[in-house]
Amino acid sequence: MTEPGVGGRRGGSAPSTKRRRTVGGAGEAARRAAEALTELISHRLEGVSAVCRGEDDGWVVDVDVLELARIPDTTSLLATYRVELDSAGELVQYRRVARFRRGAQDQ
């Protein structure tokens, strides 16, 4: 006897290996975006400052990173990268959208 879904399959849905898993929510989208970005750039992750739904059920995540450490720390340069994920949580694109001093006030 064969296991369900193995061999001799007729009709029904596509095999599970071809199904795309969707992101479970904003927290998972933030984690995936941060992981994907840290694989591509050599800067230390500082945190996630925004998460929102993108087009086609994807996600747009703003990730803050330390680009240049300085002493005192309040003069260090940080950057915000906008990371776009598809509905399966795969990286579509990223770009730097802001650069600022740690001690600078929001405008």
Side-chain angles (χ1 to χ4, degrees):
M1 188 168 172
T2 62
E3 293 179 24
V6 176
R9 181 177 206 142
R10 291 186 191 159
S13 62
S16 62
T17 57
K18 291 188 178 183
R19 288 186 193 148
R20 294 182 72 189
R21 190 175 144 233
T22 59
V23 175
E28 185 179 348
R31 282 189 297 279
R32 288 192 185 194
E35 289 171 4
L37 186 63
T38 56
E39 288 179 13
L40 297 171
I41 63 173
S42 60
H43 302 301
R44 187 180 88 203
L45 178 70
E46 289 285 310
V48 171
S49 54
V51 180
C52 64
R53 281 287 193 179
E55 295 179 14
D56 300 327
D57 292 326
W59 293 90
V60 178
V61 182
D62 288 352
V63 180
D64 297 326
V65 299
L66 176 65
E67 287 202 330
L68 181 61
R70 291 186 175 160
I71 298 174
D73 191 47
T74 55
T75 63
S76 293
L77 291 178
L78 294 130
T80 299
Y81 285 81
R82 180 150 299 145
V83 180
E84 295 183 26
L85 305 174
D86 64 14
S87 61
E90 296 296 320
L91 179 73
V92 174
Q93 69 177 347
Y94 78 95
R95 65 186 170 278
R96 185 172 67 190
V97 294
R99 196 168 192 206
F100 54 95
R101 278 186 304 117
R102 184 185 300 275
Q105 294 178 342
D106 286 346
Q107 295 185 19

